[in-house]
Amino acid sequence: MKHLVRSREALVTLLLVLLVVVTGLFNPNFFKAASIVEIFNASLTLVLIALGEMFVILTRGIDVSVGATAGLAAVVLGTTLNLGWPVGTAVLAAVLAGTLAGALNAFGVTFLRVPPIIMTLGTLGIYRGLMRIITGGSWIENLPQSIKEPNLWGFLGVPFFVWATLALLALTAFVTLRVRLARYFYAVGDNETGAYLLGLPVRWTQFAAYTLAGTFAAFAAVVFTSQIGFVSMNAADGFELKAIAANVLGGVSLTGGVGTPVGAAIGALFLTAVHSMLIFLGVPGIWDNAFAGIILLVVVYVDYRVRSALELQRRQARIRGDAGGGA
Amino acid sequence: MKWTRYLRSWEFALFALLLLELGVLGLVNPVFFNLENLLYSTLDFTHILFAALPLTLVIITAGIDISGVSVMGLASITLGLVWVAGVNVFAALAVALLVGVLAGAFNGFFVSRTDVNPLVITLGTLFMFAGLAQGMPALLDKLGFKAYGSAGLAAYQYEGITGLPDAFIALTEGSLGIVPYPFLAVLFFALVLSLLLHKTRFGRYLYLIGVNPKAAVYSGVPIRRVLVWAYVFSGFGAALAGVMLTSYFTSARADLGGDALLPIITAVVLGGADILGGSGTILGTLLAGMILGFLRQGLLALGVTNDLIQVVVGSLLILAMATKQLLHVYGEYRLKRKALSSRDGR
């Protein structure tokens, strides 16, 4: 029970289920399988970006350029496709662009020692500027059908991209739990000096985190380009902040070393679901941001209260234990 | 001996950089040697300064406030709505500034009462304030303020509220001699904040909290109250920026200032404030903000596109920080070498 109370994933999942039930009672249409699948489908972009951001936050860093990176990767994808490149090559180019953008952040943070928020704020401006310079400021339209096709594929009534994202999530969850190299993210974020003294490659772990954030942002770019079918200059605008919010909601701590991929994904799903639910509840879409902000504040505040209450309990138990016989 | 210390300070370097920049821009385009023109062009970036100056206080405490960009829009739409309701425009201005103060107090409350990272809290309020600003016209309609036009206040949501009185527009159009009022106000604001930061106990507390919050608690600093005030100043500054933009664009909009986050934080960091807390000056932020503002103006005058300017500003931020950090690392390395060699000598 105590474990459940302490787990942010559980708290947010509970909140999500509660909201779903309330929305469903208000508007039974919400319970149709199609609406649920639609929410999953709409959340993919944020889930992918948040997963990448998670690696950075685990190492106690922050990356506010992931939205711009996704935008840049989408522009590379759209431009190369319209140049007549085959889909596979274009996707590869986009992923490579995102990875490189992430690696540039990584280089700045690990080798130039620029504080993460400054480095990525700088590249946020650079990548957004580059997007417009590459395209001349106009949207990329008339993309070939081949890129929109995968969005129409499905299995058991669930779109291909949902399956792909779930598979990637499962893989990430497994790797971060079971693979030694991936545990380095947690070690470095929890205690950088300790990790260094143990002989872990601290700088390279951080390097990998920022690079992965870029790669995942590029995955997101591929998904939303396929879903929407064009690339606007505002593509993924503001997603850097939403990705951070999703991670915090899902229990990935900004103080490093705490959090799971499933938590980050649930946080992202939650933020997207709020949007759909408000529509079903008949609240205009303009209230999205206000609700997202209030929920984020409530969750971190409740979490703080629970943590301090548990800490107090633990201390009192220790005092009683010491008085009772020193055990 | 003492004056050489000033020559080596970061602020002096910024001052020299500012003069150099104006000189180069002036040689390329003589317009920049015209003082009146130069002062007039500050109107395009005074809102950055209004928000960046008090943000310096917050960053000195090792905090951050990214919600300011939303407070700008919130203050602007509040001003417009209160004015539409028939209140004198200057009273509406006061209400807008009050909203900024309350927004800052809200941030400060959560930051000082919990151990949650200020970035998370102001991220939450960034969304919340932006949402409030967007939703407020429609909300007022729902609450029964239907009297204004057939489409209700919701119509203002996208178009903004225009037709503000001339006396209000004159706040940014007017000037004292050749100095525009907003720039004058920024200088006054900087002076007040500077005195507060460098000449009062409150200011010293801010630095102490930034360097070592535990030491601050144990030495009896009213840490919660000091933090709340720092965020209140930040909210107030953002509201001032919103009001100034409203007057400058002659329209009250909920989405004003949305793209100002990068230049605001760049100004504070380039001004010498350490994002990890404990250092920074108001003068530094003022000078850095002016360097960035004039750079933008200069590049625009040279025909450089807005997009490329974004790239330049971003690169500048990274380069400046990287240089500072690497110099710091090199300095430590030299100190260690010196210590080693003096030990070997013995």
Side-chain angles (χ1 to χ4, degrees), chain B residues 126-209:
Chain B
L126 173 119
F127 285 124
M128 196 175 92
F129 296 149
L132 266 181
Q134 286 159 354
M136 199 148 53
L139 180 70
L140 291 178
D141 280 343
K142 274 257 157 56
L143 291 178
F145 292 88
K146 278 273 186 214
Y148 310 99
S150 54
L153 293 169
Y156 291 131
Q157 197 178 303
Y158 302 105
E159 299 156 12
I161 299 168
T162 50
L164 294 159
D166 289 342
F168 177 70
I169 306 300
L171 286 182
T172 43
E173 274 188 351
S175 59
L176 186 77
I178 56 169
V179 190
Y181 287 145
F183 191 62
L184 216 55
V186 157
L187 290 182
F188 180 70
F189 193 39
L191 181 70
V192 171
L193 288 175
S194 201
L195 289 175
L196 196 69
L197 184 60
H198 303 299
K199 297 288 174 206
T200 68
R201 192 177 294 172
F202 170 75
R204 304 318 297 174
Y205 284 167
L206 291 174
Y207 284 103
L208 181 56
I209 292 173

Side-chain angles (χ1 to χ4, degrees), chain A residues 133-189:
Chain A
I133 291 169
I134 292 174
T135 60
S138 53
W139 294 18
I140 305 178
E141 288 166 315
N142 304 321
L143 290 178
Q145 193 57 36
S146 50
I147 187 69
K148 301 173 196 166
E149 201 90 310
N151 188 40
L152 304 174
W153 300 343
F155 179 64
L156 298 176
V158 176
F160 162 69
F161 280 129
V162 175
W163 287 116
T165 306
L166 280 177
L168 190 63
L169 175 63
L171 181 71
T172 325
F174 175 76
V175 166
T176 49
L177 204 62
R178 288 278 173 238
V179 176
R180 173 184 281 262
L181 270 175
R183 297 302 292 174
Y184 287 180
F185 292 121
Y186 290 88
V188 168

Side-chain angles (χ1 to χ4, degrees), chain A residues 90-110:
Chain A
V91 166
L92 211 64
V95 171
L96 195 68
T99 309
L100 278 178
L104 181 62
N105 285 332
F107 176 74
V109 171
T110 55

